[in-house]
Amino acid sequence: MSKSIFSICLFLLVVAGPVFAQGDFMALMPVPFTNVRMEDEFWRPRIDVNHDVTVGHCLDWCESTGRISNFAKAAGLMDGKFEGIYFNDSDVYKVLEGAAHALALRDDPVLDRRVDAVIEKIAAAQDDYGYLNTYYTLVEPNQRWTNLRVRHELYCAGHLIEAGVAHYEAMGKRTLLDVAIRFADLIDSIFGPNKRHGVPGHEEIELALVKLHRMTGEERYLRLAEFFVEERGRPNGRELYGESLQDHLPIREQTEIVGHAVRAMYLYSAVADLAGINGDAGYFNAMDRIWNDLTGQKMYITGGIGVWDHHEGFSRGYDLPNEKAYAETCASIALALWAHRLNSLYADARYADLLERVLYNGILSGVSLDGDKFLYVNPLASHGPETFNTSGGKEGESKQHRQHWFRCACCPSNVVRFIPQVGGFAYAHDEKDIYVNLYVASHAEIPLSENRISIRQETAYPWDETIKLTIEPENTETFGVLLRIPGWCDNARLKVNGHKIDKPLMEHGYARIERQWSAGDAIELRLPMPVRRIQSHPNVLPNMGRIALQRGPLVYCLEGIDNGGRVMDISLPDNSRLRAKYKPNLLGGAVVIEGKGLRRIDRGDPDRLYRDAFYETEKQKVMAIPYCLWDNRKPGEMVVWIPRHPSLSETEIEENP
Amino acid sequence: MSKSIFSICLFLLVVAGPVFAQGDFMALMPVPFTNVRMEDEFWRPRIDVNHDVTVGHCLDWCESTGRISNFAKAAGLMDGKFEGIYFNDSDVYKVLEGAAHALALRDDPVLDRRVDAVIEKIAAAQDDYGYLNTYYTLVEPNQRWTNLRVRHELYCAGHLIEAGVAHYEAMGKRTLLDVAIRFADLIDSIFGPNKRHGVPGHEEIELALVKLHRMTGEERYLRLAEFFVEERGRPNGRELYGESLQDHLPIREQTEIVGHAVRAMYLYSAVADLAGINGDAGYFNAMDRIWNDLTGQKMYITGGIGVWDHHEGFSRGYDLPNEKAYAETCASIALALWAHRLNSLYADARYADLLERVLYNGILSGVSLDGDKFLYVNPLASHGPETFNTSGGKEGESKQHRQHWFRCACCPSNVVRFIPQVGGFAYAHDEKDIYVNLYVASHAEIPLSENRISIRQETAYPWDETIKLTIEPENTETFGVLLRIPGWCDNARLKVNGHKIDKPLMEHGYARIERQWSAGDAIELRLPMPVRRIQSHPNVLPNMGRIALQRGPLVYCLEGIDNGGRVMDISLPDNSRLRAKYKPNLLGGAVVIEGKGLRRIDRGDPDRLYRDAFYETEKQKVMAIPYCLWDNRKPGEMVVWIPRHPSLSETEIEENP
């Protein structure tokens, strides 16, 4: 971020505080990503690649696939038919939101102009009443608002609003924001308690309206968001859409996570926003139940969610197939959004634990290191692109191997808007305390009542266990610094100014250090990162007898390229020593896990499905890489859950090293 | 079978030989089930239960669900609306076919009258032109033949024809046969090369028309069957139905097994019938490719096929989930029909091997021992009815646990018509040789040119390895007796009249014994049945590190009730000795497999999906039962593929027995 923008944002935050107020019932206020300068070797390069490659890549694809020219056509600026899927407008909005966040972090006049040019077409496509949806304008002009279940007008409007807010926050321009406001006003004039009833088939506008409310202070947007949330599961003269669209029961009566994963997460994100504002106990209780169901039974170890391809959603508890995992990138992103909101609502580290899990695993796997290839589906095992193509192949594309784009391009356009915001998950505060949720080399500016606190983190996290935080309050003051002790960490150690703190006060997963802080006070936190073997709940049948490797927040996988081509036939003896090793030249620099495994020798006739069991194995050096880095090289097999080899004797595995 | 019926059938067979001719290009002629008297303790009780319980049970349900009164309503004999699903007529036809086969084996005047009463209603529902479909007559009288893809008119007609043929063969009555012929004639007047083009969405009528041709000698039915088969994959002015209905390519160009499993098997059964008549090399080659694809990549160890619930069909190769296996009972039955036809076409034992596999496992699992409860879906692992209900729950019924009936009742009605015919798979012959395909205590009468051969098998197969065959030719003659040596058997031993035959001539999986046979000559065949540990092709990911138990033709499973309630957490050390033991009072008498296993001790927090791996186990006596017998007692967990425990030392597992 350029210094000037950094200062402007800080000014806005401090001066315009009430406009950004999150809600009276929120325990914490997140520190916006514009106040956090990422200085690390893990996220900073990804944020740069997102700015330098992904934003432009997505804009190029939005152009070449007609997504942008749909606006020009709807505006009458060019001839031609609508191209693509009826919700393609949303991709353009999401990419613009990503561009805006990127511009909030770093000046880029070329990108700024490109964004303005797209906005110009969008604005031109809006009709005099504020309506804006290129599919309806070009294809079914007389059918507006007739198919809320499927056609996604309100979903697209939600992304327009988010983009408008982001663009205004980044650039101070009202061009896109005003378009969004006009459309929001039109929608507000149509839908509501004494107006038309109905809910969007794809949630999204609810959380967007809360954002718009927060930015503008306008109560109507908040009421409309509440209306859409409250309407779910209530017929009110319409047919309910059922579980797959979370429209089976009123929110307060919902007990399980069901249906389409992204939609559910967007919905509950809005519920969390509203709960923070209205304090509704029914919302809190419903979210608690749903959270417990989700995390206790329906989530991959990567934080991936939604196992089924046919409705992109949840199955029954413990139904977590690996190779057929859908675990859409968008769903992981949406889970992070919800988890972050819950962390702010409750000031409880367990939500940040999950945020970290999905951030470092299920989300990051969605984008290639070079920033222009994506995974839509994030399986936990793969036979590689040639042989595995059942899941997600609806549109004739293999979603199992990185693609430059997808016909349904929700995932790339979600990645591009998400990555720049990662710094915004790192810190939060209330009136008297500062919370550190993510460990990442960074510099944050945090307002605390009348004071302003600068925090610098120095760490090579997630590769290394040591974190040094230097606290620089503008004025010496007594307050708490609450450090998240990750759920994966058994033996955290803490020093303040070199003095060991043996038993820090623990509060909902945070170690509280309350003292008078002066400029230069330093905290040293060590989060030991042994390689851990993880097993699943025994009800997860495909993982029985298998383990996953985890170190720090990172889940690991075996990829063919590092393990002699095949990984499906590798097992890992329980007594095989596993060593973490940093490889600076691998995949942008990464800690890998090395050990000795066994490869099953298959001498069976490849034409025979079933043969007499044959137990010969050979030794195989095993190297695991972080799951988020898979499919960045030669494509091939990949597996997260590795079969155990329970009890080979030490000599058997350790001889002839 | 009563003696009088037995004689009539034999008379028909010998005198009316040409009517039963199967085709010039068939290597073998199967010996019809009416010529085989089952005298064993495995199949005979099942055939009796089918007659005494299942037939009546299915007729009762056909009555109580309105399936039979639909005919009365269509005939104007009673008022009321059509009830149930649009293809419910087919269930009635299938149950009648089953009743007919039962009557062919044993006199039963009460059942005979009940069948006649149903036939009366069916005949009354047929219109003057021969049309007969109660759904269309009652619901959409003006929409006949407008939705071949979905509405199953031709499918229902096929089952009517099969029932008519069976009823005539069993009882010598033309009542149902004439109805079928009138409808077949009407269909023949509508569809054909120079008439209307089109194919049924659900194949079945093709093989039925071949049966009708064989019975009547009428060429038109053969031509119409050929037409429907040839039309598949050819647009001819209509939209193709695609892979899911095997309508993507002309038959001769098809290379893989795709789409709905039952439909595919019925189609290829008709292709096999036609190939036996027309010798078309394109048909043979296509079937070879499809067979290899099916058996090499897309079949469960039980012979179950079709893994997906949403289209009841095939997935890609090696995609064989256990708990979510669909493996519809109908599909297993249909596979048996095709395999039997291929065995007759090629005189190759490998087809009979597969027939045996699916017969003793994937088909028999479909019906309870008491004959009035059924499985639609045949998973290879189950959490039991309470927790497992994803697959096959389309109609709000758990298809994972035995039910008395299903809204879509294809499986019970297929079981009831299949079971009586099992004896018909046991023997075949050509002009000079007799083939024994199934080992079962039985007495068969087989015509061989001018001679007539009686064979008596004495054996407790599948529980015991010893089979004694006594050959009683009417006239002493030199001919071959070809005994299938099952693919699962490594070390078959053979004696003729007490003399060991060391290296019998092997022909396509059969041991040929050619000699001059006189009355009383005896063959003793021993097929050793050690307990075998089976593993899958390494591409079948869910089975990696797991073994299945097989003994003789039977695949085994662990059921909760025999193993301390839970089986998902049991593993089997490689060196655990497994013993086969006959238990006369268990499940009608069965050989079980006993051994020592290990149970994983789970001390994890049940609310946590992922925990540190914890390797404690305790010893657990393990008892496996034949898969076909599962879910006949208290419902609960079941698993076929058991995790290996590779290398516990002998002392560790064998101490304190």
Side-chain angles (χ1 to χ4, degrees):
Chain A
M1 176 165 48
S2 71
K3 278 190 181 159
S4 59
I5 300 283
F6 189 72
S7 308
I8 288 170
C9 292
L10 203 58
F11 169 78
L12 278 170
L13 180 82
V14 175
V15 174
V19 172
F20 284 93
Q22 303 284 311
D24 292 344
F25 296 89
M26 286 176 65
L28 301 181
M29 172 88 151
V31 176
F33 71 94
T34 43
N35 277 40
V36 181
R37 190 185 293 139
M38 303 289 265
E39 295 172 336
D40 71 315
E41 294 303 316
F42 189 89
W43 286 107
R44 190 193 41 72
R46 286 170 165 84
I47 292 167
D48 285 343
V49 164
N50 191 70
H51 186 131
D52 296 327
V53 178
T54 317
V55 171
H57 172 88
C58 288
L59 282 170
D60 290 348
W61 275 90
C62 281
E63 275 170 5
S64 67
T65 57
R67 281 169 166 81
I68 291 174
S69 54
N70 279 339
F71 288 98
K73 293 170 187 170
L77 303 175
M78 66 182 279
D79 289 335
K81 285 188 177 171
F82 178 87
E83 283 181 83
I85 315 179
Y86 51 86
F87 54 79
N88 275 4
D89 290 0
S90 64
D91 298 321
V92 180
Y93 300 144
K94 286 158 75 186
V95 176
L96 288 187
E97 183 189 340
H101 295 323
L103 287 167
L105 292 178
R106 193 212 305 162
D107 288 340
D108 185 339
V110 176
L111 178 59
D112 182 20
R113 282 195 296 277
R114 192 168 179 188
V115 165
D116 284 344
V118 177
I119 291 174
E120 213 165 292
K121 289 178 185 159
I122 292 171
Q126 187 167 38
D127 81 3
D128 293 344
Y129 304 96
Y131 186 84
L132 178 51
N133 183 294
T134 68
Y135 169 79
Y136 274 102
T137 298
L138 291 168
V139 182
E140 298 191 88
N142 299 319
Q143 299 298 314
R144 292 175 182 179
W145 313 119
T146 57
N147 193 348
L148 297 186
R149 178 182 192 141
V150 171
R151 284 283 189 249
H152 292 2
E153 275 158 305
L154 293 169
Y155 167 81
C156 290
H159 280 302
L160 168 63
I161 293 166
E162 286 205 89
V165 170
H167 185 240
Y168 174 74
E169 283 180 354
M171 309 306 295
K173 301 181 189 177
R174 298 193 59 105
T175 43
L176 192 59
L177 179 64
D178 282 342
V179 173
I181 286 175
R182 276 195 296 273
F183 199 16
D185 289 343
L186 175 68
I187 293 167
D188 183 51
S189 74
I190 296 170
F191 293 93
N194 297 312
K195 294 170 260 183
R196 176 163 166 188
H197 287 265
V199 297
H202 196 315
E203 299 93 325
E204 151 65 21
I205 195 170
E206 302 85 348
L207 71 87
L209 285 166
V210 177
K211 274 193 184 176
L212 189 61
H213 157 71
R214 284 186 179 142
M215 153 154 282
T216 61
E218 175 57 72
E219 279 291 307
R220 282 186 297 120
Y221 304 138
L222 180 63
R223 298 283 91 82
L224 186 57
E226 276 179 340
F227 168 77
F228 283 134
V229 166
E230 281 292 313
E231 279 290 289
R232 290 204 100 77
R234 302 185 198 272
N236 288 338
R238 66 184 181 89
E239 198 180 339
L240 293 181
Y241 304 157
E243 281 198 359
S244 68
L245 307 185
Q246 298 84 38
D247 191 31
H248 54 306
L249 286 172
I251 296 294
R252 289 181 195 75
E253 296 168 30
Q254 294 186 15
T255 56
E256 290 176 25
I257 188 85
V258 293
H260 190 277
V262 180
R263 299 177 200 215
M265 292 297 104
Y266 285 175
L267 170 64
Y268 300 126
S269 292
V271 172
D273 285 340
L274 294 173
I277 294 169
N278 63 24
D280 189 308
Y283 283 3
F284 280 88
N285 294 337
M287 287 194 292
D288 289 350
R289 293 189 299 266
I290 290 164
W291 176 268
N292 290 338
D293 185 45
L294 173 70
T295 59
Q297 301 193 18
K298 299 177 181 170
M299 184 187 72
Y300 288 99
I301 190 171
T302 56
I305 56 172
V307 307
W308 278 358
D309 56 346
H310 57 84
H311 76 327
E312 302 191 313
F314 294 97
S315 180
R316 68 177 175 83
Y318 308 113
D319 182 23
L320 295 162
N322 290 312
E323 211 182 356
K324 285 195 180 178
Y326 201 70
E328 185 183 345
T329 302
C330 285
S332 292
I333 287 175
L335 172 57
L337 298 180
W338 188 38
H340 184 227
R341 282 163 166 82
L342 289 173
N343 175 258
S344 300
L345 269 185
Y346 284 104
D348 190 325
R350 66 180 179 140
Y351 302 105
D353 280 355
L354 193 111
L355 171 63
E356 182 182 66
R357 181 190 290 274
V358 69
L359 193 57
Y360 279 96
N361 301 291
I363 290 175
L364 258 198
S365 60
V367 57
S368 67
L369 280 171
D370 48 13
D372 66 353
K373 290 182 284 298
F374 308 89
L375 285 176
Y376 192 118
V377 168
N378 293 274
L380 277 79
S382 175
H383 276 99
E386 274 102 58
T387 52
F388 191 84
N389 53 13
T390 43
S391 186
K394 283 186 226 166
E395 291 146 15
E397 297 160 333
S398 167
K399 288 182 181 168
Q400 292 286 335
H401 176 49
R402 297 191 186 282
Q403 308 282 323
H404 285 296
W405 195 249
F406 304 92
R407 188 164 170 273
C408 169
C410 53
C411 292
S413 57
N414 242 337
V415 164
V416 77
R417 75 188 185 116
F418 182 82
I419 295 288
Q421 302 186 70
V422 168
F425 303 126
Y427 303 94
H429 66 97
D430 57 19
E431 285 181 12
K432 52 189 185 349
D433 301 312
I434 288 172
Y435 287 72
V436 184
N437 275 326
L438 295 185
Y439 298 105
V440 50
S442 58
H443 175 221
E445 296 285 337
I446 305 172
L448 204 65
S449 300
E450 304 299 304
N451 208 343
R452 190 186 304 176
I453 319 297
S454 165
I455 291 190
R456 178 174 302 282
Q457 270 196 63
E458 292 161 281
T459 177
Y461 195 95
W463 308 127
D464 187 70
E465 66 186 38
T466 308
I467 299 128
K468 186 181 167 197
L469 298 106
T470 309
I471 315 293
E472 303 268 354
E474 209 171 49
N475 305 306
T476 296
E477 188 187 341
T478 297
F479 56 89
V481 173
L482 287 97
L483 302 168
R484 181 176 65 94
I485 307 302
W488 54 258
C489 182
D490 284 331
N491 194 22
R493 282 163 291 167
L494 197 53
K495 288 182 186 173
V496 175
N497 293 336
H499 299 288
K500 202 168 159 193
I501 299 189
D502 264 338
K503 296 213 167 176
L505 181 66
M506 291 300 296
E507 279 181 13
H508 301 301
Y510 292 95
R512 170 184 281 277
I513 313 176
E514 185 156 342
R515 65 192 296 279
Q516 193 182 61
W517 295 99
S518 309
D521 282 341
I523 302 171
E524 190 186 296
L525 176 63
R526 295 180 79 94
L527 301 171
M529 295 181 176
V531 176
R532 293 168 62 210
R533 287 168 158 93
I534 307 290
Q535 66 190 17
S536 326
H537 193 289
N539 286 359
V540 184
L541 191 58
N543 295 351
M544 280 292 284
R546 292 171 181 260
I547 49 129
L549 302 179
Q550 188 174 339
R551 179 178 178 273
L554 292 160
V555 174
Y556 279 71
C557 69
L558 302 182
E559 222 183 352
I561 190 170
D562 303 313
N563 295 284
R566 297 201 61 167
V567 298
M568 295 293 185
D569 51 1
I570 291 176
S571 58
L572 209 51
D574 293 348
N575 58 358
S576 170
R577 193 143 44 98
L578 299 170
R579 301 169 190 86
K581 188 172 170 183
Y582 183 71
K583 296 217 167 186
N585 298 318
L586 183 76
L587 295 161
V591 169
V592 301
I593 297 172
E594 294 180 330
K596 286 180 193 137
L598 295 170
R599 184 185 299 282
R600 176 168 115 159
I601 296 170
D602 187 70
R603 296 217 173 92
D605 175 352
D607 291 338
R608 289 191 71 127
L609 255 179
Y610 305 106
R611 324 86 177 261
D612 279 315
F614 178 78
Y615 295 141
E616 208 177 324
T617 54
E618 62 188 10
K619 284 174 199 157
Q620 168 69 45
K621 272 183 139 180
V622 166
M623 181 174 123
I625 62 162
Y627 172 77
C628 62
L629 296 175
W630 87 281
D631 199 17
N632 269 290
R633 296 167 295 169
K634 186 167 172 258
E637 290 187 355
M638 183 276 291
V639 71
V640 170
W641 291 98
I642 307 164
R644 290 172 56 201
H645 212 92
S647 52
L648 273 197
S649 72
E650 190 70 24
T651 53
E652 211 172 326
I653 183 65
E654 289 295 340
E655 70 187 352
N656 304 325
Chain B
M1 177 164 49
S2 69
K3 278 190 182 161
S4 58
I5 299 284
F6 189 72
S7 307
I8 289 170
C9 292
L10 203 59
F11 170 77
L12 278 170
L13 179 81
V14 176
V15 175
V19 173
F20 285 93
Q22 303 285 311
D24 293 344
F25 296 90
M26 285 176 64
L28 300 181
M29 172 88 151
V31 176
F33 71 94
T34 42
N35 277 42
V36 181
R37 190 185 296 139
M38 303 290 265
E39 296 172 336
D40 71 315
E41 294 302 317
F42 189 90
W43 287 107
R44 189 192 42 72
R46 286 171 166 83
I47 292 166
D48 285 343
V49 165
N50 191 71
H51 186 130
D52 296 326
V53 178
T54 317
V55 171
H57 172 88
C58 289
L59 282 171
D60 290 347
W61 276 89
C62 281
E63 275 171 5
S64 66
T65 57
R67 281 168 166 83
I68 290 173
S69 56
N70 280 339
F71 288 98
K73 294 170 187 170
L77 302 175
M78 66 182 280
D79 290 335
K81 285 189 177 171
F82 179 87
E83 283 182 82
I85 314 178
Y86 51 85
F87 53 80
N88 275 3
D89 289 0
S90 63
D91 297 322
V92 180
Y93 301 144
K94 286 158 76 186
V95 176
L96 288 188
E97 183 189 340
H101 295 323
L103 288 167
L105 292 178
R106 193 212 304 162
D107 288 340
D108 186 338
V110 176
L111 178 59
D112 182 20
R113 282 194 295 275
R114 191 167 180 187
V115 165
D116 284 343
V118 177
I119 291 173
E120 216 166 287
K121 289 179 185 157
I122 292 171
Q126 188 167 39
D127 81 4
D128 294 343
Y129 304 95
Y131 185 84
L132 179 50
N133 184 294
T134 69
Y135 170 80
Y136 273 102
T137 298
L138 292 168
V139 182
E140 297 192 89
N142 299 318
Q143 299 297 315
R144 293 175 181 179
W145 314 119
T146 58
N147 193 349
L148 299 185
R149 179 183 191 141
V150 171
R151 284 284 189 247
H152 292 1
E153 276 160 304
L154 294 169
Y155 167 81
C156 291
H159 279 302
L160 169 64
I161 294 167
E162 286 204 89
V165 170
H167 185 241
Y168 175 74
E169 284 179 355
M171 308 306 296
K173 301 180 189 176
R174 297 193 60 105
T175 42
L176 192 59
L177 179 65
D178 282 342
V179 174
I181 286 174
R182 275 195 295 273
F183 198 17
D185 289 343
L186 176 68
I187 293 167
D188 183 52
S189 74
I190 295 170
F191 293 93
N194 297 313
K195 294 170 262 185
R196 175 163 167 190
H197 287 265
V199 297
H202 196 314
E203 299 94 325
E204 151 65 21
I205 195 170
E206 302 86 348
L207 70 86
L209 286 166
V210 177
K211 275 194 184 175
L212 190 61
H213 157 71
R214 284 185 179 144
M215 153 154 282
T216 60
E218 176 58 70
E219 279 290 307
R220 282 185 297 119
Y221 304 138
L222 180 63
R223 295 286 91 81
L224 187 57
E226 276 179 341
F227 168 78
F228 283 134
V229 166
E230 280 292 314
E231 279 289 288
R232 290 204 101 76
R234 300 184 199 274
N236 288 337
R238 66 185 181 89
E239 199 180 339
L240 292 181
Y241 303 157
E243 281 197 358
S244 67
L245 308 184
Q246 299 83 39
D247 192 31
H248 55 305
L249 286 172
I251 296 294
R252 290 180 195 75
E253 296 167 31
Q254 294 185 14
T255 56
E256 290 175 25
I257 188 84
V258 293
H260 190 276
V262 180
R263 301 178 198 214
M265 291 298 103
Y266 285 174
L267 171 64
Y268 301 126
S269 292
V271 173
D273 285 340
L274 294 173
I277 294 168
N278 63 24
D280 189 308
Y283 283 3
F284 280 88
N285 292 337
M287 286 193 293
D288 289 351
R289 292 189 299 266
I290 289 164
W291 176 269
N292 290 337
D293 185 45
L294 173 69
T295 59
Q297 301 192 19
K298 298 176 182 171
M299 184 187 72
Y300 288 99
I301 191 170
T302 56
I305 56 172
V307 306
W308 278 358
D309 57 346
H310 57 86
H311 76 327
E312 302 191 315
F314 294 97
S315 180
R316 68 176 175 85
Y318 307 113
D319 182 22
L320 294 162
N322 290 313
E323 210 183 357
K324 285 196 179 176
Y326 201 70
E328 185 183 345
T329 302
C330 285
S332 292
I333 287 175
L335 172 57
L337 299 179
W338 187 38
H340 184 228
R341 282 163 165 83
L342 289 173
N343 175 259
S344 300
L345 270 185
Y346 285 104
D348 190 326
R350 66 180 179 140
Y351 302 105
D353 279 356
L354 193 109
L355 172 63
E356 183 184 58
R357 180 190 291 275
V358 70
L359 194 58
Y360 279 96
N361 301 292
I363 291 175
L364 258 197
S365 59
V367 57
S368 67
L369 280 170
D370 47 13
D372 66 354
K373 291 181 283 301
F374 308 89
L375 285 177
Y376 192 119
V377 168
N378 294 274
L380 277 80
S382 175
H383 275 100
E386 274 103 56
T387 52
F388 190 84
N389 54 13
T390 44
S391 186
K394 283 187 229 164
E395 292 147 16
E397 297 160 332
S398 167
K399 289 183 180 167
Q400 292 286 335
H401 176 49
R402 296 191 185 283
Q403 307 282 323
H404 285 297
W405 196 249
F406 304 92
R407 188 164 169 271
C408 169
C410 53
C411 292
S413 57
N414 242 336
V415 165
V416 77
R417 74 189 187 115
F418 182 82
I419 294 289
Q421 303 185 70
V422 167
F425 303 126
Y427 303 94
H429 66 96
D430 57 18
E431 286 182 9
K432 51 189 190 347
D433 301 312
I434 288 171
Y435 287 72
V436 184
N437 275 327
L438 295 185
Y439 298 107
V440 51
S442 57
H443 175 220
E445 296 285 337
I446 305 172
L448 203 65
S449 299
E450 305 300 302
N451 208 345
R452 190 187 306 175
I453 318 296
S454 165
I455 291 190
R456 179 173 301 280
Q457 269 196 64
E458 292 161 281
T459 177
Y461 194 94
W463 308 127
D464 187 70
E465 67 186 37
T466 309
I467 300 129
K468 186 181 166 197
L469 298 106
T470 310
I471 315 293
E472 304 267 356
E474 208 171 51
N475 305 305
T476 295
E477 186 186 342
T478 297
F479 56 90
V481 173
L482 288 95
L483 302 167
R484 181 176 65 93
I485 306 302
W488 54 258
C489 182
D490 283 333
N491 193 21
R493 281 162 293 165
L494 200 51
K495 288 182 187 172
V496 175
N497 294 336
H499 299 288
K500 202 169 160 193
I501 300 188
D502 264 337
K503 296 215 166 175
L505 181 64
M506 291 300 297
E507 279 181 13
H508 302 299
Y510 292 96
R512 171 184 280 277
I513 313 176
E514 184 154 345
R515 63 192 295 281
Q516 194 182 61
W517 295 98
S518 310
D521 282 341
I523 302 171
E524 189 186 297
L525 175 63
R526 295 179 79 94
L527 301 171
M529 294 180 176
V531 176
R532 293 167 62 211
R533 287 170 159 92
I534 307 291
Q535 66 189 17
S536 324
H537 193 289
N539 286 359
V540 184
L541 191 58
N543 296 350
M544 281 293 286
R546 291 171 181 261
I547 50 130
L549 302 179
Q550 188 175 338
R551 180 178 177 272
L554 292 161
V555 173
Y556 280 70
C557 69
L558 302 182
E559 220 182 354
I561 191 171
D562 303 313
N563 295 282
R566 297 201 60 166
V567 297
M568 294 294 184
D569 51 0
I570 291 176
S571 59
L572 208 52
D574 294 348
N575 58 357
S576 169
R577 195 144 42 98
L578 300 170
R579 300 167 190 85
K581 187 172 171 185
Y582 183 70
K583 298 216 165 185
N585 298 319
L586 183 76
L587 296 161
V591 169
V592 302
I593 297 172
E594 294 180 331
K596 285 181 194 138
L598 294 170
R599 185 185 298 283
R600 175 168 115 158
I601 296 169
D602 187 69
R603 297 217 172 92
D605 174 354
D607 291 338
R608 289 191 71 125
L609 255 180
Y610 305 106
R611 322 87 177 261
D612 280 314
F614 179 79
Y615 296 141
E616 207 178 324
T617 55
E618 61 188 11
K619 285 173 198 159
Q620 168 69 45
K621 271 183 139 180
V622 166
M623 181 175 123
I625 61 163
Y627 172 77
C628 62
L629 296 175
W630 87 280
D631 198 16
N632 269 290
R633 296 167 294 168
K634 184 167 174 259
E637 290 189 354
M638 182 276 292
V639 69
V640 170
W641 290 98
I642 307 163
R644 291 171 56 203
H645 213 93
S647 52
L648 274 198
S649 72
E650 191 69 23
T651 53
E652 211 172 325
I653 184 65
E654 290 294 339
E655 70 186 352
N656 304 323

